[in-house]
Amino acid sequence: MKSLIVYSSRTGNTRAVAEAVKEAFPEPCTLAPVEEAPAVDDYDVIAIGYWVDKGMPDARAKAFMEKIKGKKVGLFGTLGAYPDSEHANDCRAKAEALMEGNEVIGQFLCQGRVDPKVLEMMAKVASDHHPMTDERKARIEEAKKHPNKEDFEQAKAFFRECLKR
């Protein structure tokens, strides 16, 4: 089995998860940022990593995902929200919808620290839509601790299990 892991990362969160996910895949396995992704034709399984932007995979990951057809695909991502939240579930569904025409073998999400520039922009532009409540402040503080070693171990275990099926 020849595998490819492609990721898009703004802050390094998704790149770090991608590096952990690679440990779950047997060789030969290629790891590449989305900007340097090779043609996918020769790969049996593709894992695609994204960071959540406005409830969707980020634009670079989304563009790559939309090109993939007829492949076994695993998805993984990072987001500021809790990975078991309704928002995270909506993000998973939107990411999976982009993979129509492929066999999605699974999807893993974990929290990741939010880029301070995004927080600044949201405070200026979307403060009425996303007010800085105490709960939101606590979630952002928790996100600063992720991804962490436990997240990496969970990502590896998740993909090892997906690959067994």
Side-chain angles (χ1 to χ4, degrees):
M1 175 177 79
K2 191 172 176 186
S3 306
L4 173 64
I5 301 170
V6 174
Y7 65 90
S8 176
S9 191
R10 180 175 178 155
T11 62
N13 293 338
T14 311
R15 182 190 70 237
V17 176
E19 290 166 352
V21 165
K22 186 177 188 299
E23 293 178 35
F25 281 76
E27 292 296 335
C29 181
T30 302
L31 175 68
V34 71
E35 323 55 59
E36 298 171 19
V40 300
D41 298 339
D42 295 336
Y43 293 93
D44 303 302
V45 178
I46 303 166
I48 304 169
Y50 61 91
W51 54 276
V52 172
D53 184 25
K54 299 176 198 87
M56 293 284 297
D58 68 276
R60 290 183 298 174
K62 182 180 176 198
F64 179 79
M65 293 164 83
E66 290 172 336
K67 295 178 193 175
I68 309 299
K69 296 290 179 229
K71 293 292 185 178
K72 277 188 176 183
V73 177
L75 302 173
F76 62 96
T78 58
L79 75 167
Y82 297 116
D84 60 352
S85 67
E86 186 176 323
H87 177 68
N89 290 336
D90 290 343
C91 295
R92 280 185 193 88
K94 289 174 183 175
E96 195 156 331
L98 293 171
M99 301 314 309
E100 188 175 336
N102 297 284
E103 178 187 344
V104 178
I105 61 171
Q107 187 168 180
F108 175 85
L109 280 182
C110 71
Q111 235 180 344
R113 67 193 162 282
V114 180
D115 185 338
K117 291 177 185 173
V118 170
L119 293 174
E120 281 178 36
M121 183 273 305
M122 288 179 75
K124 290 177 187 172
V125 178
S127 61
D128 56 334
H129 187 60
H130 295 289
M132 192 55 76
T133 63
D134 288 342
E135 184 280 328
R136 187 157 185 251
K137 288 176 187 175
R139 183 179 45 77
I140 290 167
E141 284 305 307
E142 180 61 29
K144 288 178 182 179
K145 303 173 191 173
H146 297 271
N148 60 27
K149 184 177 178 176
E150 184 177 326
D151 296 321
F152 301 141
E153 291 303 317
Q154 289 176 357
K156 287 188 277 189
F158 178 85
F159 277 97
R160 282 187 189 114
E161 191 59 35
C162 288
L163 294 170
K164 284 182 189 177
R165 291 184 234 139

